[in-house]
Amino acid sequence: MKIKDDIDQGLDQGDGTLLVLLDLSAAFDTIDHEILLDRLQHYIGISGTSLQWFRSYLQNREQSITIDHSLSTPSKLNIGVPQGSVLGPLLFLVYILPLGEIIKHHRVLRHGYADDTQLYLRFPQKDISQFQQAITKLESCIEDIRTWMTTNKLKLNEDKTEFMIITSKFYKATYQQLNPTLTVGGVPIKPVCSVRNLGAIFDCVMSMEGHVKNVKRSMYFHLKEIGRIRRYLDKDTCHIAVQSLVISRLDYANIMLVGLPQNLLHGLQVAQNSAARLISGTRREEHITPVLASLHWLPVNQRIKHKCLSMAYKGLYRQDAPEYLRQLLCPHISKRSLRSCSQNMRLCVNRTKNLYVQSLFRNSTKTVECSSVQGA
């Protein structure tokens, strides 16, 4: 959501964005224990008994391999953190803390989730020369990242690193004709038309059409599979299966669908209606609104709005909310005392030039009804 919001804001101001999704090879398995402990001590400030706890947690681990009931001789693990553990991602983030300073030095925007790191840089769409300069700047930043990773026993996978040029639809053909490449470790990477970013699909004009199509395809696939065994399931069991396999895909990352045209969201609403009919056994010619109400399901548009309001409430009032989320929300401070100030939290809305404003999270809620969001 943060990356999409920054890209949409750039498009609204006439700028394109270069987006690079870095891929690390076996990131959790190549962490050096001594380097990690040094990070914990000097970057985080952990010492004494607490540092010894981490040392005890990391050291004296062994691994074996079983093939046809034959067990190999155990070997000690001097590198890596246990995957699937609570501490695994946190320790990895501590390990790569210096990487943020390198990227900041190049004045490139960065956002990461565990071992997934995205770099993005804006450039004026009307100036081709600055576009080339932006690519050069990204290449220099990535080269310093590769050097740091080599020193710290991590490996950047050039073959799986993806690169995309995001512009408005009016400049799409212009930049495709340039046929640019991004060189990473001597490997030229050509721009792609769409990328999968943590389960969400971004396209080169940020229309989100590919993401919506992918969600519909996934929903109908699971509806078809559940439909094959529907006669063996009671209503409650079918409801649980549909909720976990179908509706969960409808809700995932749906905050990025704010401001999309209704004709694009219509397909998602049809898929949700099909899911409701599968549970209730309602025929297609019957009205769907009472069925959705009986299942306590909000329509697609309202689900998106509810998610947006919930995220805004968390960003404003939850102390554990991510700082990058809090920065997107600017509370409006009235110059005079009004009775409405005690009822609603009003947000400042930035001035914008075109329709990209409709998809900006920071502008999607002019007024957050605190009591209703908290109750929800």
Side-chain angles (χ1 to χ4, degrees):
M1 182 195 69
K2 173 64 168 63
I3 296 174
K4 182 180 183 297
D5 207 73
D6 289 343
I7 293 173
D8 285 341
Q9 187 182 40
L11 291 171
D12 181 73
Q13 297 173 358
D15 292 340
T17 302
L18 302 178
L19 175 64
V20 180
L21 280 71
L22 301 179
D23 184 81
L24 303 182
S25 298
F28 284 70
D29 298 331
T30 57
I31 292 178
D32 185 272
H33 291 170
E34 293 304 321
I35 296 178
L36 174 58
L37 292 170
D38 181 75
R39 298 269 196 278
L40 289 169
Q41 184 175 4
H42 295 98
Y43 275 80
I44 308 299
I46 297 176
S47 59
T49 304
S50 299
L51 186 64
Q52 294 305 315
W53 284 345
F54 281 104
R55 186 182 295 275
S56 175
Y57 174 76
L58 294 170
Q59 295 182 346
N60 298 322
R61 290 184 177 273
E62 296 181 342
Q63 70 174 6
S64 302
I65 299 175
T66 301
I67 301 178
D68 294 334
H69 305 291
S70 297
L71 184 66
S72 67
T73 303
S75 60
K76 289 188 176 181
L77 288 175
N78 298 319
I79 59 173
V81 293
Q83 295 193 42
S85 63
V86 175
L87 281 179
L90 295 176
L91 292 176
F92 177 80
L93 292 177
V94 172
Y95 193 81
I96 63 172
L97 276 176
L99 196 59
E101 299 175 4
I102 296 174
I103 299 173
K104 186 178 180 180
H105 173 74
H106 288 272
R107 297 183 179 180
V108 173
L109 297 176
R110 168 203 177 214
H111 201 77
Y113 182 82
D115 59 338
D116 292 309
T117 301
Q118 298 99 45
L119 307 177
Y120 53 107
L121 183 64
R122 287 167 55 171
F123 65 92
Q125 296 180 103
K126 297 181 180 179
D127 195 337
I128 302 298
S129 62
Q130 292 199 37
F131 168 71
Q132 298 294 344
Q133 292 175 10
I135 289 183
T136 303
K137 190 175 183 178
L138 263 181
E139 290 176 342
S140 176
C141 178
I142 295 174
E143 186 59 33
D144 285 351
I145 292 174
R146 288 184 68 256
T147 303
W148 181 89
M149 286 186 174
T150 302
T151 304
N152 289 269
K153 303 181 180 180
L154 296 174
K155 185 180 184 303
L156 180 63
N157 192 341
E158 295 87 356
D159 295 333
K160 292 186 178 180
T161 295
E162 294 182 293
F163 168 51
M164 187 168 66
I165 304 171
I166 302 173
T167 63
S168 66
K169 59 182 179 180
F170 304 106
Y171 291 92
K172 178 181 177 181
T174 301
Y175 285 96
Q176 285 180 343
Q177 291 175 359
L178 293 176
N179 196 23
T181 58
L182 182 76
T183 303
V184 178
V187 178
I189 301 176
K190 293 185 177 181
V192 295
C193 295
S194 64
V195 295
R196 181 182 292 272
N197 190 359
L198 297 177
I201 297 178
F202 288 180
D203 57 79
C204 58
V205 294
M206 292 305 287
S207 66
M208 302 306 294
E209 291 183 8
H211 179 74
V212 171
K213 290 179 181 178
N214 183 67
V215 172
K216 288 193 297 183
R217 181 167 55 250
S218 179
M219 291 177 67
Y220 280 120
F221 171 80
H222 289 286
L223 283 174
K224 182 179 179 180
E225 295 300 311
I226 297 174
R228 291 179 176 178
I229 59 172
R230 177 63 181 93
R231 61 181 180 274
Y232 304 112
L233 306 176
D234 56 38
K235 184 177 179 180
D236 291 339
T237 304
C238 183
H239 189 182
I240 294 173
V242 171
Q243 184 71 43
S244 60
L245 297 175
V246 180
I247 302 302
S248 61
R249 285 164 171 77
L250 178 65
D251 289 338
Y252 179 74
N254 65 342
I255 195 170
M256 296 193 301
L257 306 182
V258 170
L260 290 187
Q262 291 302 314
N263 59 346
L264 191 59
L265 296 179
H266 177 71
L268 295 178
Q269 185 61 61
V270 173
Q272 185 191 33
N273 294 347
S274 299
R277 296 185 193 281
L278 179 64
I279 295 173
S280 61
T282 307
R283 291 174 296 182
R284 183 171 297 181
E285 60 270 14
E286 296 183 35
H287 198 48
I288 195 62
T289 301
V291 180
L292 294 177
S294 66
L295 295 173
H296 303 285
W297 286 0
L298 292 172
V300 172
N301 280 327
Q302 295 183 26
R303 297 179 88 93
I304 295 172
K305 183 178 181 180
H306 180 270
K307 176 69 72 64
C308 186
L309 291 172
S310 299
M311 294 290 286
Y313 179 84
K314 292 177 182 178
L316 289 168
Y317 296 105
R318 290 275 297 269
Q319 296 299 322
D320 58 344
E323 184 62 27
Y324 61 84
L325 177 61
R326 302 169 73 93
Q327 292 175 355
L328 295 179
L329 302 168
C330 181
H332 173 71
I333 301 176
S334 178
K335 296 181 180 180
R336 52 199 178 118
S337 179
L338 301 173
R339 285 182 297 176
S340 60
C341 294
S342 61
Q343 300 175 0
N344 303 325
M345 169 64 75
R346 297 187 178 276
L347 305 178
C348 294
V349 179
N350 298 329
R351 294 182 179 180
T352 54
K353 299 178 181 178
N354 53 44
L355 294 178
Y356 284 104
V357 60
Q358 298 178 5
S359 60
L360 289 176
F361 169 73
R362 65 192 79 190
N363 287 348
S364 57
T365 55
K366 294 183 179 180
T367 302
V368 178
E369 299 288 347
C370 301
S371 58
S372 62
V373 175
Q374 188 176 15

